Amino acid sequence: MLSPDIQKDLCSAFAREVKKVIKKEIGDKLFSVLIDESCDISIAKQMAVIVRYVNDKGMVVERFLGLKHVPDTTSSALKKALLDVLAEYGLHIARLRGQGYDGASNMRGEFNGLQKQIRDENSHAFYVHCFAHQLQLVVVAVSTCCSSFSDFFNYVGLIVTSASSSCRRKDTLIADHRNTIIEKLDSGEIFSGKGKHQRTSLARPGDTRWGSHFTTLLRIENMWESVIRVLSMIHGDERNPGRAAGLLKKMESFTFVLNMKLMLKVFRITNELSLLLQKKDQNIVQAMSLLVDVKTRLVNFRNEGWAALFQEVKDFCVAKKIKLPDFSELRPRWGRSRLDDDLITKEHHYRVDTFLVALDAILTEMDHRFNESSSEVLVCFSCLDPRNSFSMFDIDKIARLTEIYDQDFSLTDPSNIRDQLETFILHVRRVDAFRSCNDFASLAMKLVETGRHHAFPLVYHIIELALLLPVATASVERDFSAMNIIKTNLCNRMGD
């Protein structure tokens, strides 16, 4: 076990055994791929490949096939690397039915991207832009939707940097927060419990890290008193005038608190969707349905949530001894001078130019980013959604899928599918076993469990095709996290 050669032989033996199991499990099934690229510790670009398929039990399975070193990240080089990985497992591109990538131009390019080159060879390998990545792009767009929110997140970044840029400041922040928690526990203001009040620190928001903006604002809110005291300490220790005093004044303002509370509420709503999208058994029809629910919540919050949010912000300011402004006082619109004589009340500024602007921006951005719901394939797949006793069932639209996926169905299947669908809908609405099905995943497993997939093979095959379409590349991100743990600087020096 001390010999590097023997260690590598053992790892190679394990890898061969795992490959045999994956090959046997996939067999001649249809599949989709999830791909992303990242640099390892040696600054070498690695491409992770995951295959997604439906096993014999009707369950969605995602298997990691491997990391492929790609010195060139052009779409042609990525395609060659992908075909090499698939060839190792005996997988042919003709059986590919879905592609899941992020928004990089070399991956999703409409004219010469990887997905376009794959579709030139296989028109049924539909591309889906990672939903979690799109949701993060929505968050980034909202953080810069207007100059007021752009300034707010700039100050948030400066606060995080100033309060935790050195070991001393970070240790002071953590120790002060710990003492604050102990005081609140002793006074009965908060209560202990499993997983509560863990040691934490501030985190910098990143445009490429899912949920990082939400985490940053949540920690600033939870560590409010400690951040204030650390900024005061920094100002007292500075020999030359610094920015800590300005950041302290900015934090203890009604505008900052309103922006923080508003963004936290928006991120809480969208974060639920982000977490759901990262489940391995998630399917695209269910994801689109969840997206509609999130949009509805945001619309309701826009129309009815101002009063509750306004009161929450005022209560927070009173609790933290932050002075409330005179909401009837006139002020110029954001970015305008008083000389322009375009004055509005502060209440109007907070309600219209802050609250409504932010929510209108995020709703517009979501409609722009998530436009897959209008595609014919998803509209047809959604007609087999088992919720509410198959309330969206439409024979004509479901039968249309046999024409879209013409390679997977015979010439007689488009006419046979209608008779089979009529019998299928009567059966599943009558049998109690199917009443518990609330998505495609549970429906597929129930059909296999009851043996009905043999009675309705064409319907089951359509459900399989819906399950194959990828939703998010979260599994690839997990692989990169594992790569960073395993491929350390020390291992890198031992050889590839």
Side-chain angles (χ1 to χ4, degrees), residues 214-481:
F214 175 58
T215 301
T216 299
L217 296 184
L218 191 62
R219 291 187 180 180
I220 288 178
E221 182 188 41
N222 293 335
M223 305 176 70
W224 185 271
E225 295 91 342
S226 301
V227 174
I228 292 293
R229 283 193 281 266
V230 169
L231 289 177
S232 299
M233 178 202 74
I234 295 171
H235 175 70
D237 291 346
E238 288 177 340
R239 296 181 180 179
N240 300 317
R243 61 190 176 194
L247 295 176
L248 186 62
K249 182 179 179 181
K250 179 62 66 174
M251 278 187 69
E252 292 189 317
S253 66
F254 184 87
T255 300
F256 185 91
V257 176
L258 175 64
N259 288 333
M260 180 183 71
K261 289 289 187 179
L262 173 57
M263 289 293 101
L264 278 173
K265 180 63 177 179
V266 170
F267 292 161
R268 281 191 176 97
I269 296 175
T270 56
N271 190 60
E272 295 176 10
L273 177 61
S274 179
L275 294 176
L276 289 171
L277 291 175
Q278 296 175 39
K279 291 185 176 181
K280 293 182 180 180
D281 60 349
Q282 191 64 260
N283 63 80
I284 196 164
V285 175
Q286 186 178 6
M288 294 305 305
S289 177
L290 292 170
L291 184 64
V292 172
D293 296 336
V294 169
K295 287 182 181 178
T296 303
R297 287 190 61 190
L298 288 171
V299 170
N300 293 338
F301 179 54
R302 179 197 184 281
N303 296 334
E304 305 170 3
W306 166 248
L309 177 69
F310 191 48
Q311 187 60 47
E312 181 183 352
V313 174
K314 289 193 290 185
D315 293 342
F316 184 90
C317 290
V318 171
K320 306 303 181 184
K321 300 181 180 179
I322 298 174
K323 182 180 178 181
L324 295 175
D326 180 3
F327 298 108
S328 61
E329 180 184 350
L330 295 178
R331 56 154 292 167
R333 290 185 179 276
W334 185 269
R336 297 291 185 89
S337 168
R338 289 185 178 273
L339 298 176
D340 296 332
D341 291 331
D342 187 10
L343 303 180
I344 56 175
T345 63
K346 287 189 175 181
E347 191 275 338
H348 182 276
H349 166 73
Y350 293 133
R351 179 175 58 85
V352 178
D353 293 353
T354 302
F355 178 76
L356 294 181
V357 164
L359 289 169
D360 287 342
I362 193 172
L363 288 169
T364 302
E365 194 67 23
M366 290 186 79
D367 289 335
H368 170 68
R369 294 285 179 186
F370 295 95
N371 52 15
E372 289 89 347
S373 58
S374 60
S375 69
E376 184 183 14
V377 174
L378 289 186
V379 170
C380 294
F381 276 137
S382 63
C383 295
L384 260 177
D385 193 338
R387 292 181 302 171
N388 300 322
S389 188
F390 293 84
S391 60
M392 300 178 64
F393 190 80
D394 188 314
I395 290 180
D396 293 332
K397 291 182 179 179
I398 298 172
R400 169 71 179 135
L401 290 167
T402 60
E403 300 175 11
I404 296 175
Y405 289 92
D406 54 353
Q407 290 185 359
D408 298 315
F409 296 93
S410 67
L411 295 176
T412 59
D413 286 342
S415 57
N416 295 335
I417 186 68
R418 296 178 181 276
D419 293 331
Q420 195 171 118
L421 284 169
E422 290 182 2
T423 307
F424 171 79
I425 192 62
L426 292 173
H427 184 78
V428 294
R429 284 175 175 171
R430 178 179 58 83
V431 178
D432 293 339
F434 291 96
R435 293 181 180 176
S436 60
C437 299
N438 53 12
D439 56 21
F440 276 143
S442 58
L443 178 61
M445 288 187 287
K446 184 61 67 176
L447 285 171
V448 174
E449 180 185 330
T450 58
R452 301 299 196 277
H453 65 302
H454 296 303
F456 308 106
L458 298 179
V459 178
Y460 180 72
H461 189 50
I462 289 176
I463 295 173
E464 279 187 311
L465 292 172
L467 291 173
L468 285 177
L469 288 179
V471 179
T473 58
S475 299
V476 182
E477 304 296 340
R478 296 186 184 101
D479 293 335
F480 286 141
S481 298

Side-chain angles (χ1 to χ4, degrees), residues 34 52 62 128 130-133 210 277-278 470-476:
L34 301 171
R52 177 186 176 98
E62 291 182 356
V128 178
C130 170
F131 275 37
H133 182 255
W210 300 345
L277 291 175
Q278 296 175 39
V471 179
T473 58
S475 299
V476 182

Side-chain angles (χ1 to χ4, degrees), residues 193-208:
K194 185 176 181 180
K196 293 183 177 180
H197 316 308
Q198 299 295 306
R199 171 175 169 159
T200 185
S201 184
L202 297 180
R204 175 180 290 278
D207 289 350
T208 59

